[in-house]
Amino acid sequence: MKTTDKIIADYKSRFMAELKTKNPGETEFHQAVSEVVDSVVPYMVQYPYLMEQKVLERMVEPERVIMFRVPWVDDRGEIQINRGYRVQMNSAIGPYKGGIRFHASVNLSIMKFLAFEQTFKNALTTLPMGGAKGGSDFSPRGKSDAEVMRFCQSFMTELQRHIGADTDVPAGDIGVGGREIGYMFGQYKRLRDEFTGTLTGKGQYWGGSLMRPEATGYGACYFAEAMLATRGESFAGKRVCISGAGNVAQYAAQKAMRLGAKVLTLSDSDGFIYDEEGLDEEKMKFVFELKNIRRGRIKEYVTKYPHAKYFAGERPWRIPCDIAMPCATQNEIEKTDAENLVKNGCFCVTEGANMPSTPEAIAIFQGAKILYSPGKASNAGGVATSGLEMTQNSMRLKWTAEEVDQRLRTIMADIHEACIKYGTEEDGYINYVKGANIAGFMKVANAMVEQGLV
Ligand code: NDP
Ligand code: 8G0
């Protein structure tokens, strides 16, 4: 007779082999699925109905994938063609929900990994939202406002027929902020003739929720606070390295700083800045203006603050810190980065980005038994607050910033509890990856089973 361990190992290897055959070359998607399979299968074998029902096999097949042409005209009058995507992964617990990414690197694999992770993350928020992701290989960097508007209008001209307040509710992500959401919402409204909450991250005067811009970064810090508290620690006096300089990084930096931490770094795809003295309110104000109004590069920080250093072409992970918060993109912490972090004393890694750590990096963190949380747990405050925006839109009212912030804090605390419940190992180590994956999976799996063969 096979031992349980053998059954688990056989199932996992067969499952991953089939996934790779069926989805060739989709390396990010394989990576995201593999992590969930590792966490969930040992747990799932205790529930034969989930195996018989082939729930995991169904979950890795998107309910629908939409790929479309996005033609537009640039400022020189030249025709440009980009590719648009919407991956509607899973609607077991609510309408599809997830961001839209505009970045040159966008491809089907990246869209599918993000939509897959989104499904479990959204389940963790306790709000009724299914999982989706969309985007395009269009890069807003270096484009004029008029070009961005024409692109967004063309993108939405196709996307509008696939989305709706009770069907699929997109939001921003990398390369999609308030400006792009505005252009897309405007076009959606023209074509569908309805003013509804079909997009989140809207402007404050046309249906946006207070605190949505802050939510992902703040939520990640609330989650990090809960992680630190399990070891009797807090942000006060801690050195924090943050990557990215966009939405998530900015508000993670602001909150960490306000909680008493010394934020040492920020970055973009060209390099990172290191400010030994740490960020303060005035420096943060400069960063907000630089990135969100002037759309400048992070290296300009050292022109304004010459005591700081800029390192071109590097990531911040070799700077000694206590807490690391990757807030830029996937696979931005590789094995040697993780080794450097641990070697230099980092004992808490809280992900603001989606899948920023490679599997090898995660193994280093968990092997060293440091606090480590995957994005699907610690960055869930963003989509949770989008869920709160949807609620406010449906009720046709607007909550105060304090009300939204309080709900965000409660949601992050509840996600942390769920991770403890499903992720605590025999020696007391909290495996946040396992906790988040099992907690999210069980909710979606049971909903699917109860809805029949969907
Ligand atoms: P932004 O576009 O606002 O900022 C992205 C930042 O990351 C920029 O500084 C950008 O630098 C950098 N970056 C992007 N791509 C790369 C790359 N390939 N290599 C190095 N640096 C890169 O995006 P967000 O802050 O919204 O998103 C950051 C991460 O957080 C993403 O993983 C996103 O999926 C995740 N996330 C976002 C949420 C949200 O509410 N916004 C919610 C949950 C997760 P550059 O300007 O050089 O491109
Ligand atoms: O609000 C959202 O739906 C959203 C936007 C950007 C990213 C994410 C995410 O959870 O990765 C969600």
Side-chain angles (χ1 to χ4, degrees):
M1 207 178 82
K2 281 186 180 176
T3 65
T4 311
D5 284 353
K6 178 94 168 65
I7 294 170
I8 292 168
D10 287 352
Y11 179 90
K12 286 203 291 201
S13 63
R14 192 165 19 91
F15 188 92
M16 286 310 299
E18 279 172 21
L19 184 95
K20 287 175 185 173
T21 306
K22 226 172 167 181
N23 304 278
E26 296 179 3
T27 52
E28 293 86 358
F29 183 53
H30 302 164
Q31 184 181 334
V33 173
S34 172
E35 185 206 276
V36 170
V37 166
D38 282 345
S39 299
V40 159
V41 174
Y43 187 83
M44 194 173 65
V45 290
Q46 302 165 50
Y47 299 89
Y49 72 97
L50 293 176
M51 308 284 278
E52 285 155 20
Q53 290 273 330
K54 299 205 175 170
V55 177
L56 202 51
E57 288 81 351
R58 282 191 257 162
M59 277 184 191
V60 297
E61 199 59 55
E63 289 179 11
R64 193 175 295 106
V65 176
I66 301 143
M67 284 173 65
F68 51 98
R69 181 199 302 155
V70 188
W72 57 284
V73 180
D74 70 18
D75 285 347
R76 293 174 309 162
E78 193 179 322
I79 289 172
Q80 302 287 344
I81 296 103
N82 286 97
R83 185 175 294 172
Y85 300 86
R86 188 71 180 167
V87 175
Q88 298 178 331
M89 187 59 86
N90 194 300
S91 62
I93 60 171
Y96 304 112
K97 178 85 196 88
I100 292 179
R101 176 177 293 191
F102 291 165
H103 193 271
S105 64
V106 164
N107 59 33
L108 186 59
S109 171
I110 290 177
M111 294 288 100
K112 283 173 68 177
F113 113 67
L114 288 162
F116 184 73
E117 295 243 300
Q118 196 77 52
T119 302
F120 302 102
K121 182 192 310 189
N122 292 3
L124 283 174
T125 67
T126 70
L127 302 174
M129 298 181 290
K133 197 78 188 191
S136 175
D137 58 357
F138 169 82
S139 171
R141 187 171 165 185
K143 306 288 193 301
S144 70
D145 283 354
E147 288 176 321
V148 170
M149 183 179 77
R150 287 195 295 274
F151 174 80
C152 287
Q153 290 180 339
S154 182
F155 183 84
M156 186 51 81
T157 299
E158 173 57 32
L159 188 66
Q160 56 90 18
R161 75 187 83 248
H162 307 289
I163 61 175
D166 296 316
T167 316
D168 183 356
V169 182
D173 190 71
I174 290 176
V176 179
R179 174 182 61 172
E180 290 77 15
I181 292 292
Y183 295 151
M184 287 193 274
F185 184 78
Q187 185 73 348
Y188 179 84
K189 193 157 55 69
R190 286 168 81 194
L191 294 167
R192 296 275 295 249
D193 198 21
E194 53 183 42
F195 195 116
T196 55
T198 301
L199 290 161
T200 60
K202 299 186 290 299
Q204 288 308 316
Y205 303 108
W206 42 280
S209 176
L210 287 165
M211 294 294 295
R212 177 63 188 90
E214 293 87 344
T216 310
Y218 279 22
C221 288
Y222 299 152
F223 196 90
E225 275 188 299
M227 295 167 79
L228 292 164
T230 65
R231 300 200 177 175
E233 294 281 2
S234 75
F235 268 110
K238 299 294 185 307
R239 300 161 303 169
V240 181
C241 278
I242 295 180
S243 64
N247 172 268
V248 182
Q250 289 168 21
Y251 287 104
Q254 184 182 61
K255 182 57 82 176
M257 180 211 30
R258 288 184 179 170
L259 289 169
K262 203 178 203 186
V263 178
L264 301 175
T265 66
L266 289 172
S267 72
D268 58 27
S269 52
D270 298 331
F272 78 94
I273 60 112
Y274 172 40
D275 186 341
E276 217 174 12
E277 294 168 13
L279 295 174
D280 59 22
E281 295 286 350
E282 189 221 294
K283 293 170 185 172
M284 277 311 307
K285 201 169 153 230
F286 170 78
V287 172
F288 281 115
E289 204 259 343
L290 169 71
K291 295 304 297 179
N292 306 345
I293 297 169
R294 289 199 282 124
R295 297 183 188 276
R297 306 300 297 164
I298 201 62
K299 72 165 179 241
E300 293 171 53
Y301 185 95
V302 300
T303 314
K304 172 82 176 173
Y305 301 107
H307 69 273
K309 296 188 183 71
Y310 176 68
F311 298 94
E314 286 193 67
R315 298 165 179 164
W317 313 125
R318 62 177 173 79
I319 302 298
C321 64
D322 305 296
I323 300 166
M325 300 185 75
C327 297
T329 193
Q330 63 275 357
N331 293 328
E332 55 164 319
I333 300 186
E334 294 178 290
K335 186 166 181 246
T336 47
D337 300 314
E339 284 165 349
N340 279 332
L341 282 166
V342 171
K343 185 183 74 194
N344 290 330
C346 175
F347 70 95
C348 178
V349 178
T350 303
E351 294 185 346
N354 285 310
M355 208 168 78
S357 307
T358 63
E360 296 75 25
I362 297 172
I364 302 282
F365 298 144
Q366 293 185 330
K369 302 267 171 189
I370 68 165
L371 296 166
Y372 164 73
S373 71
K376 65 167 78 72
S378 41
N379 72 28
V383 74
T385 306
S386 277
L388 300 176
E389 183 168 323
M390 291 164 69
T391 305
Q392 293 169 79
N393 291 164
S394 297
M395 295 166 81
R396 298 189 194 283
L397 52 70
K398 193 174 173 81
W399 292 329
T400 63
E402 291 70 30
E403 244 171 312
V404 179
D405 190 47
Q406 194 45 54
R407 287 177 196 269
L408 171 62
R409 286 174 191 266
T410 305
I411 289 169
M412 298 315 293
D414 289 348
I415 297 174
H416 189 266
E417 279 305 309
C419 290
I420 290 183
K421 180 175 170 197
Y422 289 99
T424 305
E425 297 189 328
E426 274 167 20
D427 63 358
Y429 178 67
I430 305 167
N431 185 332
Y432 287 90
V433 175
K434 189 168 125 189
N437 284 334
I438 296 175
F441 171 81
M442 286 307 285
K443 207 173 152 187
V444 179
N446 284 321
M448 287 175 71
V449 170
E450 286 167 25
Q451 290 171 29
L453 187 53
V454 291

